Amino acid sequence: MTHLTLQAVTKRFHTAYAVDHVDLAVPDGKLVCFLGPSGCGKTTLLRIIAGLETATSGTVAFAGRDLTHVPANQRDFGMVFQSLALFPHMTVAQNIAYPLRLRRVAKDAQAARVAELLELIQLPHMADRPISRLSGGQRQRVAIARAIASSPKLLLLDEPLSALDAKLREAMQVEIRLLQQRLGITTIMVTHDQREAMTMADEIVVMEKGRIAQVGKPLDIYRNPVSEFVADFIGLGNILPVTLDGTDRIALPGGQQIIVDGALRAVDATGDVRLLIRPEDVSMRAVMVNPGPNVLAGKVAFIRDVGSSLEATIDCAGFTLTAATTPRETPDLRVGMPIFAELPPHACKLIAARTAH
Ligand code: ADP
Ligand code: MG
């Protein structure tokens, strides 16, 4: 069932479009990420859904009810802001109870709910701690407990993990995702971090300049991005300019011919075209075993070996390629050595080049 529906939602600040004709359906019980670079309109769109911002035009409906003109405090949504916006002078329990107090929930029911939420966020003994004496991860959990205290129908999170260091951030991503699944609460989370979106989301909405660039399951978007912008934003990619001669012949900048499965169907051959191949799909060999159009001769220019994974930058004639593997698979790789990079036709995708603005 579709829970939240946006139709042609637009927000103009003076003459600039922060959100530009967004149509979207968010299904019941799912976690959807709004993903895109800073300034692309993620926060504005989330605030319109929350009722904290009024759309210039378009409609917001929830469970079949038009909410476009319903004020934020009557929408029954929970929200966690980038700043968390906890009340520093209150204790953990007082923070969590705040939305219940606003709703004039009876004192003992408030206490029971707070106790339940403290268990849920695994901070059962911290009820009386002041916020100032919590770690970053603990504050994060309290902000989420407060947002879900009155059992909202929709949870809205705006970059809630951005203040945390990398390791804690990754742990919290898993924690929030598991909590969201356990509660089955429909959630929209804003992030500019593609890895975070891929870790947590059922569906990713990639945004570019106020518009939706692509909507899909994380791996579908990763494997089949619709444009250079999306390909570049989601994951590491080799994005190479190619020339098409009108038939099925595709050439790389150095002139080498490339064969691509399902060749030209996906793109408009009259526009500029790029070849996308993900680093993990490029295989490296020290000797040429399989001569053919998709085998490129190059030289290893740089190796990033972090133990669990290895990335090699390969200088080919006229362009560079990144190949990803593991140190165990390629123990003899050295900077400066000649290498053959193979680009399997099934892993090569043609996409439309980013249009200049
Ligand atoms: P994101 O969250 O993706 O970084 P925002 O939604 O915050 O992007 O902003 C989208 C665009 O709208 C930006 O260009 C921003 O400068 C502009 N914007 C956001 N809020 C306002 C405002 N209150 N007044 C004027 N411009 C705004
Ligand atoms: Mg933002």
Side-chain angles (χ1 to χ4, degrees):
M1 193 185 106
T2 296
H3 233 175
L4 178 77
T5 315
L6 307 181
Q7 266 178 341
V9 170
T10 297
K11 178 68 183 183
R12 240 180 23 232
F13 290 111
H14 308 289
T15 56
Y17 285 82
V19 175
D20 192 359
H21 289 86
V22 166
D23 293 310
L24 185 69
V26 175
D28 199 5
K30 301 288 186 201
L31 192 155
V32 172
C33 275
F34 292 172
L35 174 68
S38 174
C40 73
K42 306 179 295 295
T43 293
T44 304
L45 187 56
L46 199 75
R47 288 172 56 84
I48 290 170
I49 295 168
L52 298 170
E53 196 83 72
T54 312
T56 310
S57 59
T59 59
V60 177
F62 188 78
R65 174 174 171 227
D66 186 349
L67 289 187
T68 313
H69 303 291
V70 173
N73 60 6
Q74 287 167 32
R75 289 196 184 191
D76 200 9
F77 298 164
M79 184 147 181
V80 176
F81 298 91
Q82 201 161 355
S83 63
L84 302 188
L86 291 169
F87 305 115
H89 56 284
M90 292 186 193
T91 65
V92 167
Q94 287 166 340
N95 265 276
I96 297 175
Y98 185 76
L100 305 172
R101 237 175 70 202
L102 284 188
R103 284 161 188 261
R104 300 181 195 288
V105 172
K107 276 264 152 49
D108 49 348
Q110 280 188 31
R113 178 70 175 143
V114 168
E116 183 185 14
L117 287 160
L118 285 170
E119 284 294 333
L120 193 68
I121 60 168
Q122 296 163 40
L123 298 176
H125 307 302
M126 301 229 170
D128 299 325
R129 278 266 173 112
I131 294 299
S132 58
R133 289 190 42 230
L134 298 183
S135 70
Q138 291 167 340
R139 284 177 202 206
Q140 191 54 58
R141 291 186 194 147
V142 173
I144 287 173
R146 187 180 62 178
I148 61 176
S150 54
S151 306
K153 305 224 169 54
L154 182 67
L155 179 61
L156 304 172
L157 309 172
D158 190 356
E159 311 229 16
L161 305 179
S162 58
L164 305 180
D165 64 51
K167 218 166 180 171
L168 181 56
R169 187 176 174 140
E170 298 233 323
M172 288 300 299
Q173 290 164 1
V174 176
E175 199 172 298
I176 295 175
R177 173 57 163 164
L178 290 174
L179 185 67
Q180 181 270 329
Q181 286 178 318
R182 188 135 54 95
L183 299 175
I185 184 169
T186 311
T187 301
I188 302 177
M189 189 177 91
V190 163
T191 180
H192 63 271
D193 178 342
Q194 61 93 20
R195 193 177 149 87
E196 183 162 291
M198 291 197 68
T199 303
M200 299 180 69
D202 291 298
E203 277 202 11
I204 296 178
V205 176
V206 185
M207 293 182 64
E208 179 185 15
K209 297 181 184 141
R211 297 185 182 207
I212 294 182
Q214 189 167 359
V215 180
K217 292 189 170 53
L219 279 181
D220 286 348
I221 295 184
Y222 183 80
R223 300 226 168 94
N224 295 301
V226 295
S227 65
E228 183 179 1
F229 171 80
V230 176
D232 194 24
F233 203 77
I234 305 272
L236 281 177
N238 294 292
I239 300 176
L240 307 169
V242 288
T243 50
L244 309 176
D245 72 355
T247 60
D248 258 4
R249 293 168 66 88
I250 302 158
L252 286 171
Q256 301 93 330
Q257 207 196 317
I258 279 280
I259 294 170
V260 172
D261 279 358
L264 303 182
R265 265 170 300 156
V267 290
D268 171 9
T270 60
D272 277 345
V273 176
R274 301 282 182 266
L275 176 82
L276 166 70
I277 180 157
R278 298 294 184 186
E280 66 274 19
D281 291 324
V282 176
S283 48
M284 292 180 287
R285 306 194 197 292
V287 289
M288 170 97 77
V289 281
N290 194 8
N294 287 35
V295 180
L296 313 174
K299 191 183 248 191
V300 177
F302 191 80
I303 298 172
R304 186 205 301 270
D305 185 348
V306 297
S308 58
S309 65
L310 183 154
E311 264 168 49
T313 309
I314 304 167
D315 270 341
C316 298
F319 59 94
T320 60
L321 267 182
T322 304
T325 167
T326 65
R328 283 187 224 283
E329 275 177 274
T330 45
D332 302 325
L333 212 61
R334 298 286 175 270
V335 169
M337 74 191 271
I339 199 94
F340 295 97
E342 189 174 346
L343 318 184
H346 69 85
C348 294
K349 294 265 175 322
L350 295 181
I351 49 177
R354 195 190 299 259
T355 48
H357 283 287

